[in-house]
Amino acid sequence: MGSIDHLSKEHAFKALFDQYKDDVFGYALRFFRSRELSEELVQDVFMKLWLNWESIDGDKNIKSYIFTIAKHTIYNKLKSFVVQQTYLNDVFYNYSIESNAVEELVHYKELKGIYDQAVEKLPSQRQRIFRLSREENLSHEEIAEQLHISKNTVKDQMVKSLKFIRHYLEVNANLTSLLLVFYHYIQKK
């Protein structure tokens, strides 16, 4: 595929995008159960296809190549979600202050306060779902049943909550507090 000119590359790429975007979206939706995340994945997959265009073997099955990219991208995103979830759980639910240093306590309280502010800023239904999950340790199925909503809605709302909270912390938390929590997180592993 590397020997075609730029205009032909654009036409070939657009044809592949039009042909496979819905299939990749559906494939991603089975894993993420979120339209937003699935749309992002489609963009990621086709961006990688575009960037690696020159190295694509024209004799190979392009559909297989696209879905291999999708599979690896999904795996990496899911792995990232697990790491982020583990980090948040460790920091905010299992965090124990291992020293009596006043400075560490101040930083922890500051970060916890900012976290609490972020949770308070969530829309009421999303906040309720988040609290049921994190404070009452209910599963997505139990939350869906209790609130009479779908399990997918619960998952989607949790993803949006975590994304918002993470962003809120990044914008509002003191760098020293974040580094301290990160240091304790690394020490526990």
Side-chain angles (χ1 to χ4, degrees), residues 154-166:
V154 173
K155 286 181 182 180
D156 184 58
Q157 292 300 305
M158 286 301 297
V159 167
K160 289 177 180 175
S161 294
L162 292 170
K163 184 177 180 180
F164 174 80
I165 291 168
R166 208 170 22 257

Side-chain angles (χ1 to χ4, degrees), residues 2 15 17-18 29 31 40 56 67 77 80 82 91 93-94 102 112 117 124 127 131 137 139 142 149 155 157 163 177:
F17 179 80
D18 291 341
L29 194 58
F31 289 93
E40 283 180 27
I56 298 172
F67 278 89
K77 282 191 182 285
S80 171
V82 169
V91 169
Y93 299 105
N94 301 318
V102 174
K112 180 71 169 107
Q117 289 173 6
S124 61
Q127 184 181 137
R131 289 186 188 280
N137 296 317
S139 69
E142 292 168 326
I149 57 177
K155 286 181 182 180
Q157 292 300 305
K163 184 177 180 180
S177 297

Side-chain angles (χ1 to χ4, degrees), residues 122-137:
L122 293 171
S124 61
Q125 179 75 347
R126 190 173 296 166
Q127 184 181 137
R128 186 169 181 206
I129 291 168
F130 186 81
R131 289 186 188 280
L132 287 171
S133 174
R134 294 302 187 257
E135 294 171 9
E136 297 184 29
N137 296 317

Side-chain angles (χ1 to χ4, degrees), residues 135-178:
E135 294 171 9
E136 297 184 29
N137 296 317
L138 296 181
S139 69
H140 289 182
E141 293 87 5
E142 292 168 326
I143 296 169
E145 189 175 302
Q146 183 174 335
L147 298 180
H148 306 292
I149 57 177
S150 76
K151 182 179 165 186
N152 291 340
T153 300
V154 173
K155 286 181 182 180
D156 184 58
Q157 292 300 305
M158 286 301 297
V159 167
K160 289 177 180 175
S161 294
L162 292 170
K163 184 177 180 180
F164 174 80
I165 291 168
R166 208 170 22 257
H167 176 73
Y168 192 87
L169 286 171
E170 288 171 359
V171 170
N172 295 291
N174 176 328
L175 180 60
T176 305
S177 297
L178 287 174

Side-chain angles (χ1 to χ4, degrees), residues 72-83:
H72 290 296
T73 306
I74 288 169
Y75 172 77
N76 289 335
K77 282 191 182 285
L78 290 174
K79 190 167 101 176
S80 171
F81 293 153
V82 169
V83 168

